[in-house]
Amino acid sequence: NAANQSFTVTNSGGGTLSWTVSDNVTWLACSPTSGSSTGEADTVTVSYTTSALAAGTHTATITVAGGTGVTSKTIAVTLTVTAAPVITLSPTTLTPSCRKTTNAASQSFTVTNTGGGTLSWTVSDTASWLSCSPASGSLAAGASQAVTVTYATSGLADGTYTATITVAGGTGVTSRTVAVTLTVTKPGKIKTSVTSLAVSCKKGSSPAASSFTVANEGVGTMAYTITEASDWVAVSPASGTCATDVDSLAV
């Protein structure tokens, strides 16, 4: 609702003025609606019930009448209703993931004022393992702000965690949320099919190639590299990734 305003009624002539107040709209009211003046200024308060009005310009006329032989006076009222701020978030879900003992990579979402006026917004969350920056701000109509979400997940056990990020805009503005689902997986674990290889050859010749396999006994995808301690041994390939599959390597 618009804030109250006021005007005064004064008898600038002689005798006693008995006056009444009327208007032509339902969204304003005057108090008092009648009185009398012998020269003093009487204050009339105008209150507004504008919360249900659409955005735009609205007009009204307040009329002060003094009876027979007294010229009525009018007050023109011009009310401006601006569009309220509206919070829009993108995206509305975040799905970070990490290996146990590590921090998930930072992510972000965008706050946009898709309504009117100025949106003063604040961010809160329900988890100790995430934080948002910036945590507050203001946006004109149509403006956007990126919010970075950082994760402190290195101390969490493997499993699935959920949290909610809430962006609030104050009185009359509907809050919006971002749902966060974090997945913490166990680290990969290397397993080889053999722990030693025994080969032989005659002097001046090379032994036949050997092979072994690399498997991941952990969870998720494991990246691995292979190095040799001697220049007479070469392994191919020298790196790879394993999920639950097995990689064969030639020596």
Side-chain angles (χ1 to χ4, degrees), residues 3-235:
N4 291 352
Q5 295 178 309
S6 65
F7 63 92
T8 60
V9 180
T10 305
N11 178 10
S12 57
T16 299
L17 170 69
S18 296
W19 53 267
T20 60
V21 177
S22 61
D23 62 75
N24 63 347
V25 294
T26 59
W27 45 263
L28 68 79
C30 297
S31 179
T33 57
S34 62
S36 63
S37 172
T38 58
E40 79 282 0
D42 296 333
T43 300
V44 177
T45 300
V46 184
S47 58
Y48 302 99
T49 306
T50 54
S51 60
L53 296 180
T57 301
H58 303 262
T59 60
T61 301
I62 297 172
T63 301
V64 182
T68 304
V70 179
T71 302
S72 298
K73 299 294 184 181
T74 60
I75 296 174
V77 182
T78 301
L79 168 71
T80 302
V81 179
T82 57
V86 176
I87 298 172
T88 299
L89 306 180
S90 180
T92 56
T93 59
L94 295 173
T95 55
S97 62
C98 64
R99 292 288 180 86
K100 186 178 178 180
T101 73
T102 66
N103 290 327
S106 297
Q107 297 178 306
S108 65
F109 64 91
T110 301
V111 182
T112 303
N113 179 8
T114 54
T118 300
L119 170 66
S120 296
W121 54 271
T122 58
V123 179
S124 60
D125 63 74
T126 60
S128 60
W129 44 264
L130 68 80
S131 60
C132 298
S133 179
S136 63
S138 63
L139 293 170
S144 298
Q145 170 70 58
V147 177
T148 300
V149 184
T150 55
Y151 301 102
T153 55
S154 61
L156 298 179
D158 55 281
T160 301
Y161 300 81
T162 59
T164 301
I165 298 171
T166 300
V167 180
T171 303
V173 179
T174 302
S175 299
R176 304 295 181 186
T177 60
V178 176
V180 183
T181 302
L182 167 71
T183 302
V184 180
T185 59
K186 294 179 180 179
K189 183 179 180 181
I190 297 173
K191 180 182 179 181
T192 58
S193 57
V194 296
T195 57
S196 63
L197 293 172
V199 295
S200 61
C201 66
K202 291 183 177 180
K203 183 178 179 180
S205 63
S206 298
S210 303
S211 66
F212 63 93
T213 60
V214 175
N216 178 14
E217 288 189 317
V219 177
T221 300
M222 176 189 71
Y224 65 87
T225 59
I226 298 176
T227 57
E228 306 90 356
S230 300
D231 57 8
W232 50 268
V233 179
V235 180

